[in-house]
Amino acid sequence: MKNKIYAITLWLGGCLFLLVSCDLDKKPLAALSPGTYFSNEEELRLYSNKFYVDVLPDGPDIYSENADAIIITPLNAAVSGQRIVPSTGEGWSWEALRRINYLLANSHHTADLSIRNRYDALARFFRAYFYFEKLKRYGEVPWFNTVLGSNDEQLYKPRDSRDLVADSILQDLDFAVAYLPDTKDVYRVSKWTALALKSRVGLFEGTFRKYHGLQNAEKYLTSCAEASEKLIDEGGYALYRTGATPYRDLFANTKAIGQEVILARDYDDALGLFHNVQNYENASTLGRPGLSKSFVNTYLTASGGRFTDLPDYDKKEFVEETQNRDPRLAQTIRTPGYTRINSTATVAPNLSFAITGYHLIKYAMEQSYDANGKSISDIPLFRIAETYLNFAEAKAELGTLTQADLDKSLNLLRARVSMPKLDMATANATPDPYLGSAETGYPNVSGANKGVILEIRRERGVELVMEGHRYYDVMRWKAGKRFEQPFLGMYFRGLGNYDLDNNGTIDLCLYQGSKPGSTASLFLEVGKDIVLSEGTKGNVVAHGNIKRTFREDRDYLYPIPSEEINLSNGILKQNPNW
């Protein structure tokens, strides 16, 4: 019977862990005295269970991502350019770290060294995850590896160097890889989870350093490539390929599929554990998420060609543009012929629910789960598909990528959906001008591997959309100016009726002035309910009233809360230009 970690930790959070201090500078109460509590494996397990809740992201942290690929309303302030320096909060929280370090400081009371090493390894995995999130958000941060008291001089020490933080994360992960069990369990951290995180950390840090002009990029890219290859070669994971829509079914599933998923967040109606993804996708009040037109354009044609090479690709209406595309498009958004799971009725995209018209379906199961707070699909946190992409990108950036490397990684993703494989030589001979453009892509990619790097980024976007990666991918690639580009949606030739699912019935009527007679299920008044880029025709415009500005000298990092700087008497320094 599988361990229900999240059920356990919710109970612990209400009972046992009320005895644990929530502040970095306070000691735990006597009820958790290390001499009496950390003496055996069961106590270490119970204590460490809460790390899963404290440190790992919840469902909404994953599926509600927004940057340039998924547009929501209102926009995240980091995307709209409206961030300010907060006084407190905003991710500058250290409570979880103190609990992790407390276990590490007291686990020696467990006599069995193998048990101690195992739980030290687990704690160090979570410390690495905790600090990786801080590194992505703030850059340099203070590194704490001991439990601090209220009078400790280190409580308000300066920020440590990026090198020290990044290297300490990797050291923690190396220990985790060495001592965590290799038993696979999608709800428990294992050796393979540690390798997956090491792969993620190395790719982020290596590419961030390369594109932001920092030293030692190759060191971290090599770490990524080595960890990825070890996980690929030794982990025994493989892509889920069952059925006609394996990509869709991987996410529309109440139980994470351990064949591909390395670690997942568990949701279960019997335990009262729910999230809200289906209500988020199918309501008019929760952000109206939709893919952007520029992102939809990156999906290849079914034959492997570039959609943006087609004549008038930017003037194709929805039914035409979604035909003969990479099958993952139709397994990510509603396209003509879409039916809900266990239903035979075709359903059109709904522009009341999707601000761009490109209506998301990822993670969606039967319609009964659309109710508020009733979704129970497990949320993958690490899966082997990401590791394949990390491996290919790291090796491409290092200049060591081969066709054989692509065939054991990225091309497996394409094969799952019957897409032609990526040929490295062809990609480098003819880099995609759309992906290399300042308006629609990544103009700072250069060198002999430019073409294949752009293709790997395409594949990463398509495969990992709505999985919580996109914002920090844009940050590490130094592509923040993408947020200044227009956020567009579907193209409409003009006012009138539209059959969006091509089933012979009218789904949408666009009009101006008096509402016309129509059998449409949705009426939108152009200029009021919806804005088109050319007045009464063109692409849907999202947030056209917001002038978005991304400052290259400031916005790749978040500001540190002002109250934290004040409490340190100025020892803690603010990020540049905030």
Side-chain angles (χ1 to χ4, degrees), residues 312 314-317 351 488-498 508-512 524-528 530-542:
D312 297 322
D314 55 339
K315 298 294 191 294
K316 294 183 184 297
E317 292 187 309
L351 276 77
L488 303 178
M490 289 180 178
Y491 180 85
F492 293 99
R493 65 185 179 277
L495 304 179
N497 294 320
Y498 289 89
L508 173 67
C509 178
L510 299 180
Y511 71 98
Q512 281 189 329
L524 296 176
E525 184 175 358
V526 174
K528 181 180 178 181
I530 189 173
V531 176
L532 300 180
S533 59
E534 301 174 56
T536 57
K537 68 174 184 176
N539 294 95
V540 174
V541 178

Side-chain angles (χ1 to χ4, degrees), residues 305-324:
R306 299 188 294 229
F307 175 74
T308 50
D309 286 347
L310 299 177
D312 297 322
Y313 75 88
D314 55 339
K315 298 294 191 294
K316 294 183 184 297
E317 292 187 309
F318 181 68
V319 172
E320 184 181 7
E321 74 171 328
T322 55
Q323 300 305 303
N324 300 313

Side-chain angles (χ1 to χ4, degrees), residues 451-467:
V452 77
I453 288 172
L454 292 176
E455 292 303 322
I456 292 168
R457 292 188 184 186
R458 181 202 306 277
E459 192 71 21
R460 184 177 182 86
V462 167
E463 180 69 25
L464 301 182
V465 66
M466 209 179 172
E467 295 184 50

